[in-house]
């Protein structure tokens, strides 16, 4: 519906209330964020007949962002939302980049800032490639609305709604290394020359070619990644997020592989990282694809190779977990299920052969699950486990539960009578783990 005078009046009153609130409580970050979200909601509700009102909301939002960031320069969400406003509303990729770079000068160890900066650079490359296709610079000229593509590029646009954020006292004078390298890469791109593609010499075309231009090959995004892992060096989940983002963009395969390689180099003894690398390729294969079986077999071989290099309880636990997950997931494919069942049984046997090296408390319990599921001698395994981990309440609890279950099933004559269970509980389990509420 068309915005009425009453709607406008109510909106102005609410904005005035927010204005008084942030003046009185400038320290309240959530209040600033609510103010931002309200203006954005009103802007989204504007119709095509309300361009002037829409521009007014955009300008107001830019002003609020500038004030909010000045009041809270170390609040990363404000910087991220402001950069998104510049990119999505003001169509100004350069301004979005500049905001995130300024934020990283202040908060260089913030994961979300690096993630959004990494995403931004990949997105800008994708937009520039689209523009170049329309202009016919790379291959045949495509049909399309060149004005629309121009608006989504990374060049500055003349818009009164841009975020005018003055230099903050907290900002240092030193630029990030990535800022200087970005400027150099963009200078080589020379988009103004690209706009007049018909006047290019062969040498200029070669310099601007998508195959040879460093920026279009993702050089800046790679620099962002390298700077990011210097700032946040030991966080596996951080790199996994970067890999997921790179996987969303066509042409970023080399960059994605570079991040994967860095995990292999920097997390050599980390079982979580090694397990992730063993099976990460499965994320790109559909469960209905004929390539799935080959992918799963490759994952198993990767695990075996990793275990030959990292023969630890943690790595074996990850392998058993992987096999169990796919054993359950392949229920409808009997041959694949049999394959995983055999692999898992073999893995438990290999763990059993070298228990002193390969077994810890967590893995002992996982193997007990496997042995129980396979109909093996779970009680013998758990008896050995309580000797190896006598102060583990979890292992004792699991053994007692198995004994009780066996006795309840009428197997007391071959396993344990109630009196023997009580004696084991009081003379050993409680004695070894007296503080356990579980026992």
């Amino acid at each position: 519906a068309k915005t009425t005078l009453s709607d406008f009046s109510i909106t102005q009153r609410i904005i005035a209330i927010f204005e008084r609130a942030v003046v009185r409580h400038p320290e309240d970050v959530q209040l600033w964020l609510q103010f931002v979200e309200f203006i954005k909601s009103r802007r989204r509700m504007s119709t095509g007949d309300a361009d002037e009102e829409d521009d007014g909301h955009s300008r107001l939002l830019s002003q609020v962002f500038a004030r909010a960031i000045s009041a809270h320069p170390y609040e990363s969400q404000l910087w991220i939302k402001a950069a998104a406003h510049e990119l999505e509303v003001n169509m100004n990729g350069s301004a979005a980049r500049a905001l995130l770079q300024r934020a990283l000068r202040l908060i260089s160890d913030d994961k979300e800032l690096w993630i959004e900066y990494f995403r931004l650079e990949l997105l800008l490359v994708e937009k520039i490639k689209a523009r170049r296709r329309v202009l016919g610079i790379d291959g045949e000229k495509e049909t399309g609305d060149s004005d629309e593509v121009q608006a989504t590029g990374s060049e500055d646009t003349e818009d009164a709604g841009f975020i005018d954020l003055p230099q903050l006292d907290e900002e240092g004078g030193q630029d990030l290394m990535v800022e200087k390298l970005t400027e150099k890469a963009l200078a080589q791109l020379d988009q103004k020359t690209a706009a007049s593609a018909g006047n290019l010499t062969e040498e200029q075309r070669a310099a601007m070619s998508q195959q040879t231009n460093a920026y279009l090959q993702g050089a800046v995004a790679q620099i962002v990644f390298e700077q990011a892992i210097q700032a946040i060096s030991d966080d596996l989940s951080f790199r996994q997020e970067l890999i997921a983002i790179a996987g969303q963009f066509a042409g970023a395969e080399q960059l994605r592989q570079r991040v994967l390689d860095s995990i292999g180099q920097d997390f050599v003894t980390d079982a979580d990282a090694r397990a992730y690398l063993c099976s990460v390729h499965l994320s790109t294969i559909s469960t209905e694809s004929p390539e799935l079986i080959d992918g799963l077999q490759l994952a198993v071989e990767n695990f075996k190779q990793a275990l030959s290099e990292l023969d630890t309880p943690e790595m074996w636990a990850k392998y058993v977990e992987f096999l169990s997950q796919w054993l359950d997931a392949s229920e409808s494919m009997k041959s694949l299920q049999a394959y995983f069942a055999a692999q898992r049984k073999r893995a438990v046997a290999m763990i059993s052969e070298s228990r002193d090296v390969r077994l810890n408390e967590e893995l002992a319990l996982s193997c007990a699950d496997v042995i129980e599921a396979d109909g093996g001698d779970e009680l013998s395994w758990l008896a050995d486990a309580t000797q190896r981990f006598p102060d583990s309440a979890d292992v004792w609890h699991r053994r007692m539960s198995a004994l009780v279950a066996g006795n309840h099933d009428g197997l007391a004559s071959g396993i344990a009578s109630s009196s023997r269970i009580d004696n084991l509980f009081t003379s050993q389990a409680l004695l070894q783990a007296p503080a356990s509420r579980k026992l």
Side-chain angles (χ1 to χ4, degrees):
K2 187 175 180 180
T3 304
T4 66
L5 183 61
S6 175
D7 293 331
F8 179 77
S9 213
I10 292 171
T11 297
Q12 292 305 110
R13 289 188 62 184
I14 295 174
I15 289 174
I17 292 171
F18 268 116
E19 285 286 3
R20 289 196 296 271
V22 295
V23 168
R24 182 170 297 182
H25 303 287
E27 75 288 348
D28 191 332
V29 176
Q30 290 304 313
L31 185 59
W32 284 106
L33 290 171
Q34 289 172 9
F35 193 6
V36 165
E37 289 304 317
F38 174 75
I39 301 171
K40 287 169 66 176
S41 69
R42 298 309 300 173
R43 186 180 184 279
R44 286 192 294 267
M45 290 174 63
S46 298
T47 64
D49 297 329
D51 290 340
E52 185 175 345
E53 180 188 356
D54 186 61
D55 290 342
H57 286 148
S58 180
R59 284 192 293 271
L60 175 60
L61 189 54
S62 295
Q63 294 166 8
V64 170
F65 271 128
R67 291 162 57 196
I69 291 173
S70 297
H72 298 280
Y74 295 100
E75 185 58 45
S76 62
Q77 283 304 306
L78 289 172
W79 289 98
I80 291 170
K81 289 179 180 293
H85 174 70
E86 287 288 21
L87 181 67
E88 298 166 6
V89 178
N90 292 338
M91 304 297 182
N92 194 331
S94 296
R97 175 190 292 119
L99 281 172
L100 292 179
Q101 288 175 346
R102 291 178 68 178
L104 285 166
R105 291 184 208 166
L106 299 173
I107 331 170
S108 62
D109 60 348
D110 190 282
K111 285 173 57 174
E112 288 303 315
L113 277 175
W114 283 111
I115 286 169
E116 292 308 319
Y117 186 22
F118 183 73
R119 191 198 312 274
L120 173 68
E121 290 298 350
L122 288 171
L123 181 61
L124 292 180
V125 168
E126 190 173 79
K127 289 178 179 294
I128 291 173
K129 286 180 180 178
R131 179 191 301 179
R132 288 162 65 89
R133 287 194 295 271
V134 170
L135 295 172
I137 296 174
D138 295 311
E140 297 182 2
K141 186 170 182 177
E142 296 182 1
T143 59
D145 188 344
S146 60
D147 291 336
E148 180 179 349
V149 178
Q150 174 72 21
T152 61
S154 63
E155 292 181 355
D156 293 345
T157 58
E158 293 184 4
D159 190 327
F162 76 96
I163 299 174
D164 185 11
L165 180 64
Q167 185 78 9
L168 303 174
D169 293 337
E170 293 84 356
E171 291 183 82
Q174 187 174 4
D175 291 342
L176 294 169
M177 177 63 68
V178 70
E179 295 181 58
K180 300 174 182 178
L181 295 171
T182 300
E183 290 176 5
K184 182 177 179 180
L186 285 172
Q188 293 174 347
L189 188 61
D190 192 5
Q191 291 188 51
K192 288 187 178 180
T193 306
S196 56
N199 299 325
L200 294 179
T201 65
E202 288 302 318
E203 183 179 354
Q204 287 172 325
R205 282 186 180 276
M208 293 171 56
S209 169
Q210 184 169 314
Q211 285 71 38
T212 58
N213 185 273
Y215 182 79
L216 295 179
Q217 288 295 304
V220 172
Q222 179 165 324
I223 294 166
V224 172
F225 155 69
E226 291 169 354
Q227 296 281 301
I229 64 172
Q230 286 184 25
I232 306 171
S233 60
D234 58 352
D235 192 324
L236 175 62
S237 64
F238 176 55
R239 299 198 199 190
Q240 290 172 329
E241 288 190 66
L242 296 180
I243 289 169
I245 291 170
Q248 297 170 7
F249 293 88
E253 292 83 2
Q254 289 185 353
L255 178 58
R256 181 177 181 273
Q257 188 58 50
R258 173 71 188 89
V259 184
L260 284 169
D261 291 343
S262 77
I263 293 177
Q265 294 163 6
D266 298 342
F267 296 84
V268 178
T269 60
D270 187 310
D272 288 327
R274 298 297 294 268
Y276 172 76
L277 292 177
C278 288
S279 59
V280 65
H281 62 280
L282 295 175
S283 64
T284 63
I285 303 176
S286 167
T287 55
E288 299 178 356
S289 170
E291 298 176 358
L292 178 62
I293 293 178
D294 289 339
L296 289 169
Q297 291 177 337
L298 175 60
V300 169
E301 293 305 314
N302 288 343
F303 267 106
K304 291 178 179 178
Q305 178 62 34
L307 285 164
S308 70
E309 300 168 1
L310 188 65
D311 191 0
T312 64
E314 292 77 17
M315 193 68 224
W316 280 100
K318 289 295 177 183
Y319 183 39
V320 171
E321 180 185 359
F322 170 80
L323 294 173
S324 296
Q325 287 176 346
W326 279 100
L327 178 62
D328 294 338
S330 58
E331 186 176 0
S332 61
M333 302 174 66
K334 297 303 181 184
S335 59
L336 192 59
Q337 191 175 42
Y339 169 76
F340 280 112
Q343 291 293 333
R344 189 176 70 169
K345 188 172 183 178
R346 176 58 182 154
V348 172
M350 293 179 69
I351 293 167
S352 181
E353 290 169 3
S354 302
R355 300 187 195 189
D356 292 339
V357 176
R358 295 173 177 166
L359 200 62
N360 61 11
E361 177 186 341
E362 177 188 357
L363 186 54
L365 293 170
S366 296
C367 288
D369 291 335
V370 174
I371 294 169
E372 179 188 18
D374 291 345
D377 191 354
E378 175 195 9
L379 286 173
S380 295
W381 176 271
L382 289 169
D384 178 78
T386 52
Q387 291 180 357
R388 292 177 181 278
F389 312 104
D391 57 347
S392 170
D394 288 333
V395 174
W396 276 110
H397 183 269
R398 177 60 185 274
R399 182 183 177 188
M400 303 304 297
S401 298
L403 283 166
V404 170
N407 196 43
H408 179 72
D409 291 339
L411 302 176
S413 59
I415 301 177
S417 65
S418 297
S419 59
R420 285 186 60 196
I421 294 174
D422 292 341
N423 181 60
L424 184 65
F425 177 69
T426 55
S427 65
Q428 293 189 47
L430 282 180
L431 191 63
Q432 296 291 350
S436 170
R437 288 188 177 183
K438 190 174 228 179
L439 291 176

